Amino acid sequence: MNASVGLVITEYADFDVELRLESGRLLGPLTLAYESYGELNQERSNVILVAHAWTGDAHAAGVHSEEDRKPGWWDNMIGPGKIFDTDRFFVLCSNVIGSCKGSTGPNSINPRTGRPYRLNFPVLMVRDMVRAQKLLIDRLGITSLLAVVGGSMGAMQALEWGIHYPELVRSIVPIAGTGRTSPMSIALNALARQAIFNDPLWKKGNYRPEHPPADGFALARAVGHISFLSDASMQLKFGRRFSVRDGMFDFFGKFEIERYLDYNGGNFVGRFDTNAFLYLAKALDLYDVAWNFDSLSEALDRLNCPSLWFAFSSDWLYPAEQTEEVIDELQRLNKPVDYRLIQSDYGHDSFLVEPEKFIPILQEFLDRQAKAQNLPAGKTGALSRQ
């Protein structure tokens, strides 16, 4: 059994700057929430940046208190002897701008008005998130990233890092990602938006935090959550079982999958902000790695570092063929790229549910990158069973 990183604290970096966004608007000053695990070596060459998914945060590993029952979202991957071995690597996770988890977002105070931004917050792109993270990397005096690793929206961030900061990034690992968001994904987010917009408590973003548009937001989360699953995983977990509390011919009776979506959506309302959810969804919709380039080829030609890509057989949110569109172009450009299609029944969430299926491949890749940077060899990475 591998050890946890134990007690951790979330730190906050403030930047008295105005960041020019892809929209042309300026955003500042900025705050970024982040956590770090392990020790930075003297050469500052052992840094792994972990990028979180849509509604994730900076709390990737460990616990915030002895009473904390839920560790960070990638705790089984980060720690002594794990794949991101904190005896070997300095692991950094930054919350993105646009979020509600400590970084500047629509709930933050607009310095020009003294009131929360709400819908006056500017529309963001994933590229803007990465530019803000670069401020943190500079603040910490880091001049080399051994790897940038992330799943889903984190995969988009990893790709943006590799393309726009080739002098800094030594390798990237995009997991369950895409080079551009598909019409189907945009359509699903459109349904989620309408669920929120149609809730009278949303009030065009001017809801009171203590009275969020809970019904609409829970439904929006349910739409998104369905896209993270797969038919096989829902069959496995729920089948066609009817809720034991309901009668089959009760008009308002529910299947277990319905009860699950209700429960998941209700819990989510209490831990995330509605406007932040909407802004991050818009950033996902707008994602296109070729944005402001003449072509996909021109954008990917800037990626000079080795990259390791993972897609999952049952992922219908960002299906394998979308990843393979990027892989094919990288191979045509003779870039150092490795790609693995992982067989899994857990849909888009496979990278969180079954990491043991890709950990050995990731371990070998990280070992190669570490050796290239003359880092000492580590123990064989393993998945914690805690």
Side-chain angles (χ1 to χ4, degrees):
M1 183 178 293
N2 296 324
S4 168
V5 296
L7 291 173
V8 298
I9 59 170
T10 303
E11 300 183 76
Y12 302 89
D14 298 318
F15 303 93
D16 189 17
V17 299
E18 287 194 317
L19 186 70
R20 182 169 294 279
L21 306 174
E22 288 295 312
S23 66
R25 291 184 61 180
L26 298 174
L27 179 63
L30 297 176
T31 297
L32 281 183
Y34 71 98
E35 290 186 7
S36 61
Y37 322 99
E39 298 292 333
L40 193 60
N41 66 6
Q42 188 172 0
E43 297 78 19
R44 297 175 178 265
S45 60
N46 66 333
V47 182
I48 293 178
L49 177 63
V50 170
H52 68 73
W54 184 358
T55 57
D57 54 30
H59 183 42
V63 293
H64 286 149
S65 70
E66 297 288 358
E67 295 75 34
D68 195 350
R69 295 184 178 182
K70 187 175 181 180
W73 57 270
W74 234 3
D75 186 74
N76 58 353
M77 299 279 280
I78 301 170
K82 300 178 185 178
I83 183 68
F84 302 124
D85 188 349
T86 50
D87 289 335
R88 188 183 186 194
F89 303 121
F90 179 72
V91 183
L92 183 66
C93 183
S94 165
N95 182 225
V96 299
I97 55 173
S99 180
C100 57
K101 295 292 186 176
S103 296
T104 299
N107 273 348
S108 302
I109 299 299
N110 183 341
R112 291 172 177 79
T113 66
R115 297 189 297 272
Y117 280 102
R118 297 192 174 97
L119 295 196
N120 288 320
F121 195 74
V123 170
L124 298 173
M125 297 186 77
V126 173
R127 195 167 297 172
D128 298 320
M129 301 172 187
V130 169
R131 287 200 179 108
Q133 290 170 349
K134 176 64 161 53
L135 296 173
L136 176 62
I137 295 300
D138 291 343
R139 171 73 60 84
L140 296 176
I142 295 168
T143 57
S144 174
L145 293 173
L146 179 68
V148 183
V149 184
S152 193
M153 190 179 82
M156 301 172 184
Q157 294 171 67
L159 182 54
E160 292 291 309
W161 266 105
I163 287 174
H164 294 280
Y165 299 102
E167 75 288 348
L168 179 67
V169 178
R170 301 290 171 255
S171 66
I172 63 170
V173 184
I175 306 171
T178 180
R180 57 182 177 180
T181 305
S182 71
M184 189 199 73
S185 297
I186 295 170
L188 290 170
N189 283 345
L191 291 178
R193 271 190 288 275
Q194 287 303 317
I196 292 169
F197 295 166
N198 289 334
D199 190 316
L201 290 181
W202 184 59
K203 300 178 180 179
K204 295 185 177 180
N206 293 309
Y207 54 87
R208 295 167 60 184
E210 64 270 26
H211 296 296
D215 290 344
F217 194 18
L219 179 55
R221 174 61 174 182
V223 171
H225 196 70
I226 291 169
S227 72
F228 305 154
L229 306 175
S230 72
D231 181 62
S233 66
M234 285 190 274
Q235 287 279 6
L236 194 65
K237 189 170 184 178
F238 305 105
R240 287 181 46 83
R241 294 188 298 276
F242 221 74
S243 172
V244 294
R245 73 179 71 177
D246 301 325
M248 182 177 293
F249 297 104
D250 177 353
F251 184 78
F252 293 101
K254 295 183 178 182
F255 288 91
E256 285 190 5
I257 180 61
E258 294 178 272
R259 289 282 182 198
Y260 171 76
L261 291 173
D262 288 346
Y263 173 80
N264 184 273
N267 276 357
F268 187 70
V269 169
R271 65 179 179 85
F272 211 81
D273 173 65
T274 310
N275 284 341
F277 178 89
L278 290 168
Y279 271 89
L280 296 180
K282 177 64 73 173
L284 288 170
D285 287 351
L286 292 174
Y287 185 66
D288 184 350
V289 68
W291 167 259
N292 269 348
F293 290 97
D294 288 338
S295 65
L296 177 64
S297 179
E298 183 186 22
L300 294 179
D301 196 38
R302 291 176 55 89
L303 184 66
N304 296 319
C305 66
S307 60
L308 172 62
W309 297 71
F310 293 104
F312 298 88
S313 59
S314 58
D315 186 348
W316 62 281
L317 180 62
Y318 299 141
E321 54 264 30
Q322 293 182 17
T323 301
E324 289 162 5
E325 179 186 10
V326 179
I327 301 304
D328 290 346
E329 189 59 32
L330 287 171
Q331 290 175 339
R332 193 188 69 79
L333 293 167
N334 293 316
K335 299 295 182 177
V337 57
D338 192 3
Y339 165 64
R340 305 299 175 91
L341 176 60
I342 305 298
Q343 298 298 314
S344 175
D345 288 334
Y346 289 96
H348 186 63
D349 269 351
S350 295
F351 78 97
L352 295 172
V353 178
E354 292 190 314
E356 66 273 11
K357 288 192 172 182
F358 62 85
I359 275 182
I361 304 164
L362 177 55
Q363 178 73 61
E364 182 182 350
F365 179 81
L366 290 177
D367 284 344
R368 288 201 307 271
Q369 308 319 310
K371 185 176 181 181
Q373 299 302 313
N374 296 315
L375 295 179
K379 301 174 183 178
T380 301
L383 180 68
S384 171
R385 294 298 180 185
Q386 289 181 321

